[in-house]
Structures are given as structure tokens and as C-alpha cells.
């Protein structure tokens, strides 16, 4: 569905079983995938807003293997 997508924070959807945040999508239903992507996007938008408030507006630090919702 989102193959070859890369977010500003480094998330890559490339159709692999485990994504770049370390989440295994193999057991996800279509509904699970949509809910996950919406939650991921919401979390990334919040992080980007925080970076923007600090004056960082490009070249954001990349997130790797960080669980959504945890700081």
C-alpha cells in the first residue's frame, strides 16, 4: 500500500515484514495497518512540530526503532 514511502523522520514503508521503526506488520489486518499508519503519522507530526518550535525546519533527526508514543 505505501511501498517506497519515506517520511521526513526516516520511516520507510517498503513492503518488508518489519519496518524501519522495528514494528512487525506480518500479523496486521488491513484495519491494523491503517490504524498503525495513522498513529505513526500523528506521532511524527507531533515530533516535527516540536522540532519546528526549536527552530529545526529541515534535516530532522531520524527515528530508528523507537516505539510510537514513547519519548
Amino acid at each position: 500500500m505505501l511501498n517506497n514511502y519515506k517520511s521526513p523522520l526516516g520511516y520507510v514503508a517498503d513492503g518488508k515484514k518489519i519496518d524501519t521503526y522495528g514494528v512487525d506488520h506480518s500479523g496486521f489486518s488491513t484495519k491494523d495497518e491503517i490504524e498503525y499508519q495513522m498513529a505513526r503519522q500523528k506521532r511524527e507530526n507531533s515530533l516535527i512540530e516540536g522540532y519546528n518550535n526549536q527552530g529545526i525546519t529541515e534535516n530532522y533527526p531520524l527515528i530508528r526503532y523507537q516505539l510510537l508514543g514513547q519519548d
Side-chain angles (χ1 to χ4, degrees):
M1 176 164 63
L2 296 172
N3 289 350
N4 300 316
Y5 168 77
K6 183 175 181 180
S7 78
L9 298 180
Y11 176 82
V12 176
D14 57 8
K16 293 183 181 174
K17 179 178 167 182
I18 298 176
D19 70 21
T20 54
Y21 287 174
V23 176
D24 184 345
H25 293 248
S26 64
F28 280 20
S29 67
T30 301
K31 180 181 176 186
D32 294 337
E33 186 67 34
I34 291 168
E35 288 177 355
Y36 172 79
Q37 294 299 337
M38 290 177 67
R40 178 195 55 77
Q41 185 65 53
K42 182 177 179 182
R43 177 68 174 139
E44 285 187 356
N45 288 343
S46 175
L47 291 169
I48 288 170
E49 182 179 343
Y51 289 135
N52 291 342
N53 289 339
Q54 297 174 52
I56 302 169
T57 59
E58 58 186 342
N59 298 320
Y60 299 110
L62 301 182
I63 301 172
R64 297 287 181 189
Y65 302 103
Q66 179 179 354
L67 296 176
L68 291 173
Q70 293 184 346
D71 296 321

